[in-house]
Amino acid sequence: MSSKGSAPAKAGLRVGVIGAGVMGSNHARVLAGLPGVSLVGVVDPSPVHLARTCDLANCQGFETLDQLLAAGVDAVTIAAPTHLHHEIALACIAKNIHVLVEKPIASTVAEGREIVSAAQKAGVTLMVGHVERFNPAVAAVKQAIAGEDILSIAITRVGPFPPRMSNVGVVIDLAVHDIDLIRWFTESDIVEVQPQLSSAVAEREDIALLQFRTASGVLAHINTNWLTPFKARSVTVATRGKYVMGDLLTRQVTECFGFKPDGSYSMRHLPVGHDEPLRAELIAFLRAVRHGEAPAVTGDEGVASLEIATQCLETPSRPAATSSAARTGPRRVAG
């Protein structure tokens, strides 16, 4: 269904939303308001979620994916639970439907690769919903460090335990955003992973301190948890020439530059746009569909970030090396 040659784009691209939870209802709301888009409807097995989302977006509701596909769609966004991404994406791709799948792309790297491979063979657009890339504050940080020699990146993404219980911990739910940002900021693969994880109150990990090294030599760390009573989202990037701080919630980005030998430096606030990140993301997806362009976040990029997140969960933490004296008995205290 990709547009052929230089034919004009369809006036109304027929789009469906799969999943009517928090994220899916936002997808439907945004799509309903986009020009050149016909929101065909939303799918969810829950009558309550479906009714709420259909009211919000003034669209039709479907109980099953088959019903939506029978109604005819050019593209879908998948905001269903992660364990369903693989099955749903393959079913849509098999019918030559373009797909945006929310992060993480799938439950496993192998499933993610299958989705990527199927989309390539079918010649349909596949984009992964790493929405933080479309946060205007993140875009301002990216622009500020363009062409700079990046030394280190530190990202904090913390908050209270989410009311929606899910089958993943903070690494897959939260840190995967920041793994993607580290790869995007550095334009380099992550080659070393040093995770420290803890399950303080939840069944799965609810605290993660993750350290990375990229192929380009950048050191990065992510601090994430579900134990902080308020949300905080911040990014700091140190380069040889400047230090950039971004608050992803208030969308304030500050740049320190012009370092002098006496320790003085200059500071300035950088201009930051006001776009809603999800709206910008969906517009980017639909543009890629209409024009057959590579999407802003490719399936391969989505798989790469999932692979690093999975490594964080699988890498055993090593005990600190201790001296033989410390292992054999208590130290004698002189005095």
Side-chain angles (χ1 to χ4, degrees):
M1 288 191 190
S2 346
S3 47
K4 294 185 178 78
S6 56
K10 298 174 194 175
L13 207 55
R14 293 176 62 81
V15 184
V17 175
I18 301 161
V22 174
M23 205 66 210
S25 60
N26 280 322
H27 278 235
R29 169 185 57 81
V30 171
L31 287 166
L34 290 182
V37 171
S38 169
L39 178 58
V40 175
V42 181
V43 180
D44 201 289
S46 160
V48 175
H49 287 177
L50 201 55
R52 186 195 65 217
T53 303
C54 291
D55 284 349
L56 178 72
N58 190 24
C59 68
Q60 194 174 346
F62 300 95
E63 288 177 26
T64 69
L65 177 59
D66 286 344
Q67 289 171 349
L68 172 70
L69 299 184
V73 287
D74 301 310
V76 296
T77 69
I78 301 174
T82 303
H83 69 277
L84 299 174
H85 286 186
H86 177 252
E87 179 189 345
I88 294 169
L90 291 184
C92 294
I93 290 166
K95 293 191 177 291
N96 286 331
I97 293 165
H98 305 283
V99 170
L100 180 141
V101 57
E102 269 300 336
K103 66 85 201 164
I105 184 170
S107 294
T108 66
V109 171
E111 286 185 353
R113 285 185 181 140
E114 273 187 54
I115 295 170
V116 171
S117 173
Q120 284 170 345
K121 282 179 187 154
V124 299
T125 300
L126 170 65
M127 179 163 151
V128 184
H130 280 283
V131 72
E132 202 68 282
R133 282 207 205 176
F134 297 87
N135 183 320
V138 168
V141 171
K142 170 81 167 168
Q143 193 173 355
I145 61 176
E148 292 284 319
D149 183 6
I150 301 171
L151 302 174
S152 70
I153 299 172
I155 304 181
T156 298
R157 186 179 296 271
V158 297
F161 193 79
R164 52 184 178 84
M165 288 295 290
S166 82
N167 58 351
V168 298
V170 289
V171 171
I172 298 293
D173 191 52
L174 297 181
V176 77
H177 279 296
D178 304 311
I179 290 167
D180 178 68
L181 291 186
I182 290 165
R183 297 182 72 259
W184 190 51
F185 284 153
T186 62
E187 296 175 4
S188 179
D189 287 327
I190 291 169
V191 293
E192 281 182 41
V193 174
Q194 293 179 331
Q196 294 290 341
L197 310 174
S198 177
S199 304
V201 295
E203 197 176 316
R204 293 179 184 262
E205 84 287 348
D206 49 21
I207 307 172
L209 298 173
L210 311 173
Q211 293 193 111
F212 307 100
R213 185 190 295 270
T214 70
S216 56
V218 176
L219 299 183
H221 79 253
I222 297 170
N223 168 26
T224 188
N225 70 51
W226 279 331
L227 304 177
T228 309
F230 54 85
K231 268 189 177 184
R233 307 276 189 267
S234 67
V235 173
T236 58
V237 182
T239 77
R240 289 204 187 274
K242 57 178 74 169
Y243 187 77
V244 181
M245 301 172 282
D247 185 315
L248 307 189
L249 296 181
T250 63
R251 299 191 183 171
Q252 187 171 62
V253 179
T254 307
E255 181 180 79
C256 305
F257 62 99
F259 306 118
K260 302 271 175 31
D262 64 1
S264 65
Y265 57 88
S266 302
M267 284 182 77
R268 65 182 166 214
H269 293 308
L270 300 179
V272 177
H274 298 287
D275 290 356
E276 179 187 356
L278 181 61
R279 187 173 189 275
E281 177 183 72
L282 291 171
I283 288 171
F285 168 59
L286 297 172
R287 188 187 311 120
V289 167
R290 284 192 174 105
H291 302 295
E293 301 166 352
V297 186
T298 65
D300 284 330
E301 289 177 301
V303 170
S305 294
L306 176 60
E307 191 163 20
I308 296 300
T310 304
Q311 277 182 35
C312 289
L313 295 174
E314 292 173 351
T315 305
S317 55
R318 294 185 298 253
T322 51
S323 69
S324 55
R327 284 198 298 269
T328 52
R331 288 185 300 176
R332 285 180 298 180
V333 181

